[in-house]
Amino acid sequence: MKKDGMDFTTSLLSRGRWSDSVKGLVEMIPKQAPHAKHQLKCAVLLNHLIKFYNEIARKDFVRGPDQEVAKFFRLSTEVCSAFLENFTTPMTNKGGIEGFKASKQNKDKCLVHVLLLYMMAHGRSMSVGNIRPVADDVKLELKDAGNLLRAAGCTVTTKKGSSGTTMSSALKVPLTFPNAKRGGRAP
């Protein structure tokens, strides 16, 4: 798949800014594989979601209607509207300015989607040998990433080696979920 003498991967990655984990992911997808198109779609969506998450994690409140916010995030209006609907709450701040706010639960939900999209982009096996690259892109501790994946029903394995700690994840049937946490004592 070449266009203007340029490899498809090089052509795709030359458009816009790509997170490190997604760059590595796109480069490793076998282009002639039967599910390559699905994996590439997941990788592109993952890149958009990482960009979106990093902005909502940095800002407490994002001003404006969907179209203005989409320009701020440098995303298409359709993609940004879907992200805003799923991962933020529309509200008006104290100054009467309309916009969107992401609560801790919304941010965690977004992180779970990032991690699961990363797994989906690795192929139909829904298994990843190391989740550290995507965790680093969203500035998430490896332990927290493992907890979020376990809450989503994934099996998570941690290995300590000379090059550091790696965490692998797989989604296997039947799904296993951790026991529900009970409320703690009130202060």
Side-chain angles (χ1 to χ4, degrees), residues 61 89-101:
F61 180 77
T89 305
M91 65 175 295
T92 305
N93 70 4
K94 293 175 185 173
I97 299 171
E98 291 185 9
F100 300 89
K101 182 172 177 60

Side-chain angles (χ1 to χ4, degrees), residues 4-22:
D4 300 332
M6 192 182 291
D7 176 73
F8 175 76
T9 304
T10 308
S11 173
L12 180 66
L13 294 176
S14 68
R15 300 177 196 161
R17 292 190 318 222
W18 291 79
S19 63
D20 293 336
S21 63
V22 179

Side-chain angles (χ1 to χ4, degrees), residues 78-167:
E78 295 82 11
V79 170
C80 190
S81 292
F83 289 168
L84 289 169
E85 183 179 323
N86 288 303
F87 306 117
T88 63
T89 305
M91 65 175 295
T92 305
N93 70 4
K94 293 175 185 173
I97 299 171
E98 291 185 9
F100 300 89
K101 182 172 177 60
S103 65
K104 170 82 168 104
Q105 291 87 356
N106 286 356
K107 290 175 185 177
D108 285 349
K109 179 180 171 183
C110 189
L111 284 171
V112 169
H113 278 76
V114 165
L115 293 167
L116 291 176
L117 259 175
Y118 188 68
M119 290 177 66
M120 288 173 65
H122 272 81
R124 299 192 105 200
S125 66
M126 291 294 289
S127 135
V128 177
N130 187 8
I131 62 169
R132 182 177 291 283
V134 75
D136 289 346
D137 278 346
V138 292
K139 298 168 187 70
L140 181 65
E141 293 291 325
L142 211 50
K143 179 183 174 189
D144 295 333
N147 290 338
L148 289 171
L149 284 168
R150 282 185 196 93
C154 296
T155 304
V156 179
T157 326
T158 306
K159 294 177 188 153
K160 293 186 181 183
S162 59
S163 61
T165 303
T166 60
M167 188 174 284

Side-chain angles (χ1 to χ4, degrees), residues 167-185:
M167 188 174 284
S168 61
S169 176
L171 194 59
K172 299 177 184 174
V173 177
L175 296 178
T176 54
F177 296 100
N179 294 331
K181 292 183 180 178
R182 305 291 177 194
R185 291 180 11 197

